[in-house]
Amino acid sequence: MGYDLTPWMAILVVAFVTFFSRIAGPVLMSRVAITDRIERFLDSMAVSVVAALVASLIAQAGLREAAAVAICAVVMLRSQSAIWAIMAGICMAAGWSYFNV
């Protein structure tokens, strides 16, 4: 039985990219003057990454997940509480599964 190196190569590539990005970020940012515009960009970039991850999840998943994310968004906008938004999304998905809608 031979070993398949493909998973190990994938793990090594991901580890290298992760390590490089962890090192490159501080090195590059130490050479850039932080202006208000750059600070706003960095603040909005985190939100953009989360939005992209959620959009990817919705695109790959079904209607239940999309409804749970929609409920989370509505509760978050109304209550300004991440805890209540997460709880609402979890309850939505669990209720959907329980009632087999």
Side-chain angles (χ1 to χ4, degrees), residues 20-70:
F20 180 73
S21 65
R22 295 284 182 167
I23 297 299
V27 169
L28 289 174
M29 290 309 295
S30 69
R31 301 178 193 285
V32 174
I34 304 297
T35 63
D36 288 337
R37 185 176 180 192
I38 291 175
E39 191 170 341
R40 285 193 313 267
F41 168 75
L42 292 173
D43 288 341
S44 64
M45 188 171 62
V47 174
S48 300
V49 169
V50 171
L53 291 172
V54 169
S56 174
L57 171 76
I58 291 172
Q60 295 175 5
L63 188 58
R64 180 184 70 168
E65 288 79 7
V69 169

Side-chain angles (χ1 to χ4, degrees), residues 58-83:
I58 291 172
Q60 295 175 5
L63 188 58
R64 180 184 70 168
E65 288 79 7
V69 169
I71 292 295
C72 283
V74 168
V75 171
M76 184 67 185
L77 289 173
R78 300 282 293 167
S79 70
Q80 298 294 313
S81 171
I83 299 296

